[in-house]
Amino acid sequence: MDVVSQSSLNEHLPQTGIPSGSQDKVSVLDSEPEMAEPQVAVTPVIRSNLSVKAPEFYPQGYIQNFNQNFADSSFEDRYDCCLTLVEYVQDFLNHLTDQPACFETEIEQFAETLNAWVTSGEDLQGLVELIYQQATSVPNFSYMGARLCNYLSHHLTISPQSGNFRQLLLQRCRAEYENRDEATRADETTQKEFHAFVLFLAELYLNLEIKGTKGQVMRAEILQEGLRELLNALLSNPVDSNLICAVKLLKLTGSVLEDAWKEKGKSDMEDIIQRIENVVLDANCSRDVKHMLLKLVELRSSNWGRVHGSSAHTEATPENDPNYFMNEPTFYTSEGVPFTAADPDYQEKYQELLEREDFFPEYEENGTYLPGPGDPYFDDIDDEMDPEIEEAYEKFCLESEHTKK
């Protein structure tokens, strides 16, 4: 075996970063195997240029305080990096998308900030466009977007000549609405965008509140008429994607629309359901979509799933409810004849049963049942084993002892 020389070891030490004072810790192999000593592993000393006093690192393009909770920081803390209005609004929309539960606690501060920041019709138009794009492009944000629009329509104070927030929002929706016929026959991407708009408009109809002339809160009637025309456009081109959108729209707003039309004496919902039934019979849509349409017709026939009982449970009587005694227990007389609460002699038979049987043994005041020596159950218990059982038990014990040995 080769012997490692001291000179070669010294040459090797600077390369590995081992201090010169640690050389004595490295064992040199002896030429005699029987005299060899175990080698001692030496951990290289790694020197670092890191410092605890180094400034905090941020990735390129990162804006400090950009994703902080809006309710937990002041206006100066949030915007010391000169965020633009677009950046601020988009960040808040993304924040609501990720944490929708924060709407109630942070919407007031958001509206106050906008009132101080949105000072022109151009700013207001940009705000409407950002919210519209978020509500129609981000899945599941249409409901939150509609709630946000409703709040801002009542709390934004700016009202330029181009229109207030609600007016600009409805103008933006009208631009999409007017292209409904082309959109239902367009390519897949355009149809998908149109269907997202339809569902957002449905959420607006349900959530956007308008004050009437007498101060009463009401829904926007113009949206009601718009949804009717959108349904016509979807059903006029009965491909699967359009029909699925129509089903979603009616599941969301069907009950409200029908109630509103009935108040006006209109039968619009009847006409829509008839068109859907015709689609099921004639259209070349898939079997799954036809099944969805039939389920929708069934839902509407059940009053959109709303339950209105004709009589309350407490008002049921044996005369008007044939199942009145369905869940009543069955008792037996001393002769073994069954009887229930439906029998005319129920009270008499039941009283006789109570007198004959002792259903209430003695209990202590705390509810603990303490049977005495005269208790029939314990008197029947015999402490002695049956001879056959006793013989089997002894055999089991002997086999157990034999197994242990």
Side-chain angles (χ1 to χ4, degrees):
M1 180 182 296
D2 295 336
V3 180
V4 180
S5 66
Q6 184 67 25
S7 60
S8 62
L9 184 62
N10 290 334
E11 292 175 357
H12 179 68
L13 284 175
Q15 297 176 3
T16 57
I18 302 176
S20 59
S22 301
Q23 296 177 11
D24 57 339
K25 295 183 182 180
V26 181
S27 64
V28 181
L29 298 178
D30 190 77
S31 59
E32 297 295 331
E34 62 273 8
M35 298 300 291
E37 296 180 359
Q39 292 184 351
V40 179
V42 178
T43 304
V45 177
I46 301 176
R47 297 179 181 179
S48 172
N49 294 326
L50 295 178
S51 172
V52 295
K53 298 181 180 180
E56 188 173 359
F57 170 75
Y58 292 100
Q60 185 177 3
Y62 180 83
I63 302 178
Q64 191 175 6
N65 297 329
F66 193 64
N67 291 318
Q68 288 183 351
N69 187 303
F70 284 76
D72 295 339
S73 55
S74 64
F75 182 89
E76 291 78 8
D77 292 338
R78 293 203 301 271
Y79 309 115
D80 55 358
C81 291
C82 301
L83 289 180
T84 64
L85 175 62
V86 173
E87 291 172 334
Y88 168 67
V89 174
Q90 188 61 59
D91 184 51
F92 185 77
L93 295 177
N94 294 337
H95 176 63
L96 281 184
T97 302
D98 296 334
Q99 304 179 43
C102 295
F103 180 87
E104 299 292 343
T105 57
E106 301 181 15
I107 185 60
E108 183 177 355
Q109 177 64 36
F110 178 67
E112 291 178 0
T113 303
L114 290 181
N115 278 325
W117 205 335
V118 178
T119 57
S120 67
E122 184 179 353
D123 292 340
L124 189 61
Q125 187 74 49
L127 174 64
V128 169
E129 184 63 26
L130 284 173
I131 297 175
Y132 176 86
Q133 291 297 333
Q134 187 84 357
T136 56
S137 61
V138 177
N140 302 323
F141 192 78
S142 57
Y143 167 70
M144 186 60 64
R147 291 185 63 194
L148 179 61
C149 290
N150 179 61
Y151 189 92
L152 294 181
S153 67
H154 293 287
H155 292 84
L156 286 184
T157 56
I158 183 174
S159 182
Q161 292 182 352
S162 57
N164 58 28
F165 177 84
R166 184 174 66 244
Q167 291 170 337
L168 292 179
L169 175 65
L170 294 178
Q171 290 176 16
R172 179 64 180 88
C173 292
R174 185 174 184 84
E176 296 293 329
Y177 167 81
E178 290 178 348
N179 296 324
R180 59 190 181 278
D181 294 326
E182 294 80 4
T184 57
R185 293 174 170 81
D187 58 273
E188 182 179 353
T189 301
T190 304
Q191 282 190 2
K192 186 176 180 179
E193 294 174 354
F194 174 70
H195 297 156
F197 157 70
V198 171
L199 296 180
F200 175 56
L201 200 69
E203 292 287 4
L204 278 178
Y205 175 65
L206 296 177
N207 291 278
L208 190 61
E209 298 175 345
I210 298 178
K211 291 185 178 180
T213 55
K214 299 181 180 180
Q216 75 278 16
V217 177
M218 53 189 297
R219 292 189 172 90
E221 186 171 348
I222 188 174
L223 296 182
Q224 177 190 130
E225 299 302 323
L227 292 176
R228 177 68 171 90
E229 294 303 319
L230 289 175
L231 280 169
N232 286 337
L234 292 169
L235 296 175
S236 297
N237 185 32
V239 296
D240 284 1
S241 57
N242 287 337
L243 294 176
I244 292 174
C245 181
V247 170
K248 292 180 179 179
L249 172 58
L250 286 173
K251 282 185 175 181
L252 186 62
T253 63
S255 60
V256 180
L257 287 174
E258 184 167 15
D259 291 344
W261 288 330
K262 283 184 177 179
E263 289 180 2
K264 300 177 182 179
K266 296 183 177 180
S267 59
D268 291 35
M269 188 57 68
E270 295 288 345
D271 299 337
I272 292 174
I273 296 299
Q274 183 62 51
R275 290 192 64 180
I276 291 176
E277 292 175 347
N278 293 337
V279 167
V280 173
L281 295 175
D282 302 331
N284 295 323
C285 55
S286 66
R287 184 178 62 179
D288 291 339
V289 172
K290 288 185 178 182
H291 181 70
M292 290 177 60
L293 295 172
L294 290 174
K295 284 293 184 181
L296 177 67
V297 174
E298 181 180 347
L299 178 65
R300 191 258 178 175
S301 64
S302 66
N303 195 22
W304 302 102
R306 297 178 291 186
V307 178
H308 299 287
S310 57
S311 61
H313 176 72
T314 55
E315 299 175 359
T317 63
E319 289 75 20
N320 62 18
D321 188 356
N323 299 320
Y324 185 82
F325 297 110
M326 177 178 291
N327 296 323
E328 292 293 332
T330 301
F331 301 98
Y332 294 87
T333 65
S334 56
E335 293 80 14
V337 179
F339 69 95
T340 64
D343 295 326
D345 301 333
Y346 168 75
Q347 292 293 341
E348 181 181 347
K349 292 179 180 179
Y350 185 69
Q351 185 62 36
E352 179 184 351
L353 181 64
L354 292 179
E355 293 174 355
R356 186 177 75 251
E357 302 291 345
D358 183 11
F359 286 102
F360 306 99
E362 295 296 331
Y363 286 82
E364 281 191 347
E365 291 183 359
N366 63 357
T368 303
Y369 175 47
L370 295 178
D375 188 274
Y377 175 77
F378 284 90
D379 287 347
D380 291 341
I381 295 180
D382 191 353
D383 293 336
E384 296 182 1
M385 288 186 181
D386 183 90
E388 186 177 354
I389 297 178
E390 185 175 3
E391 181 182 356
Y393 178 70
E394 291 177 355
K395 183 178 179 181
F396 168 75
C397 292
L398 291 174
E399 291 178 353
S400 299
E401 290 294 334
H402 180 72
T403 303
K404 292 179 180 179
K405 293 179 180 180

